[in-house]
Amino acid sequence: ATQMMETMITQSLPTRAEVFDVANAVLDGTDAVMLSAETAAGAYPVETVEAMGRVILGAEKHPLAHRSKHRMDQVFHKIDETIALSTMYAANHLEGVKAIICLTESGDTPRLMSRIRSHLPIYAFSRHPRTQSRVALFRGVNPIPFDSERIPESELNARAVKELVQRNLVFEGDLVLITKGAGNAQGGTDTLRIVRVGDVIH
């Protein structure tokens, strides 16, 4: 967020170095990049946003943006962390996975997931508006309002998948990864399920 395209305050095109800075931020797993004077006081605010958008989209298509060795050589100490990172490993290696559903109270599990590079969307299902706002800032995470307290435990997985189907985000035959914890305890994510859209889901 340090005027990443500073040249465009006065020029209509960024420098090569600025393009690389933005692209590298994406490849490094940054959640977001920002503009400041370029759009607040610059002569080319629209062109700056369009240029940055093109660089970001191009970088996200690079193979390095979909591979990660984050913490692969480290020991995990928490169950929710282990489930989160195991989910992302499965998402990136199991053919047919189209989405990740994370039932979350605090947003910590999708935050951990977002550290792993992936081309797959992470849908953070939460009943808390504050959590929904928080997870929207994490890379690749999309908040979905979902009141898990009003749904029987036995129906949670099926109802969550149905929500994605109704939004045309997944389709019959797609694999979906679902993480959740017993009850609604914060930091209690301890389960990973792999389900197929169209099958009976428990």
Side-chain angles (χ1 to χ4, degrees):
T2 53
Q3 295 175 199
M4 299 187 76
M5 291 189 147
E6 186 173 6
T7 303
M8 294 193 74
I9 295 173
T10 57
Q11 304 293 325
S12 61
L13 291 172
T15 65
R16 181 181 300 177
E18 288 167 345
V19 169
F20 281 133
D21 283 347
V22 174
N24 282 329
V26 173
L27 296 177
D28 287 343
T30 302
D31 285 318
V33 290
M34 287 176 56
L35 295 166
S36 47
E38 301 96 328
T39 51
Y44 301 95
V46 174
E47 292 84 350
T48 304
V49 172
E50 289 174 343
M52 181 173 265
R54 286 193 300 272
V55 174
I56 292 168
L57 291 172
E60 287 180 340
K61 293 176 183 176
H62 193 280
L64 284 177
H66 307 302
R67 296 192 208 120
S68 179
K69 294 185 177 179
H70 176 70
R71 302 209 59 188
M72 287 293 286
D73 57 348
Q74 297 180 26
V75 172
F76 304 146
H77 300 286
K78 295 171 61 182
I79 293 173
D80 59 342
E81 178 183 40
T82 304
I83 294 295
L85 300 183
S86 298
T87 299
M88 297 311 295
Y89 189 83
N92 285 337
H93 289 82
L94 177 60
E95 188 175 353
V97 175
K98 301 299 181 184
I100 301 155
I101 292 174
C102 180
L103 298 172
T104 183
E105 289 289 300
S106 67
D108 281 344
T109 301
R111 176 183 59 80
L112 291 165
M113 290 177 174
S114 72
R115 301 303 90 202
I116 302 292
R117 295 178 190 146
S118 176
H119 66 287
L120 293 169
I122 301 166
Y123 297 104
F125 282 59
S126 182
R127 60 198 172 101
H128 303 294
R130 182 171 180 149
T131 298
Q132 294 164 24
S133 296
R134 179 186 182 217
V135 300
L137 297 173
F138 303 149
R139 178 183 174 138
V141 179
N142 306 279
I144 292 185
F146 187 77
D147 192 349
S148 56
E149 274 206 329
R150 296 178 178 271
I151 301 170
E153 177 78 19
S154 61
E155 297 178 17
L156 277 176
N157 291 340
R159 293 279 288 275
V161 171
K162 183 179 179 181
E163 182 72 29
L164 293 190
V165 170
Q166 290 175 338
R167 292 171 182 248
N168 292 317
L169 297 171
V170 295
F171 302 91
E172 187 163 347
D174 290 346
L175 292 179
V176 177
L177 308 182
I178 304 173
T179 64
K180 65 178 182 178
N184 290 310
Q186 184 172 326
T189 300
D190 59 4
T191 304
L192 165 62
R193 288 287 310 276
I194 304 174
V195 301
R196 189 179 301 278
V197 179
D199 289 355
V200 177
I201 299 173
H202 301 289

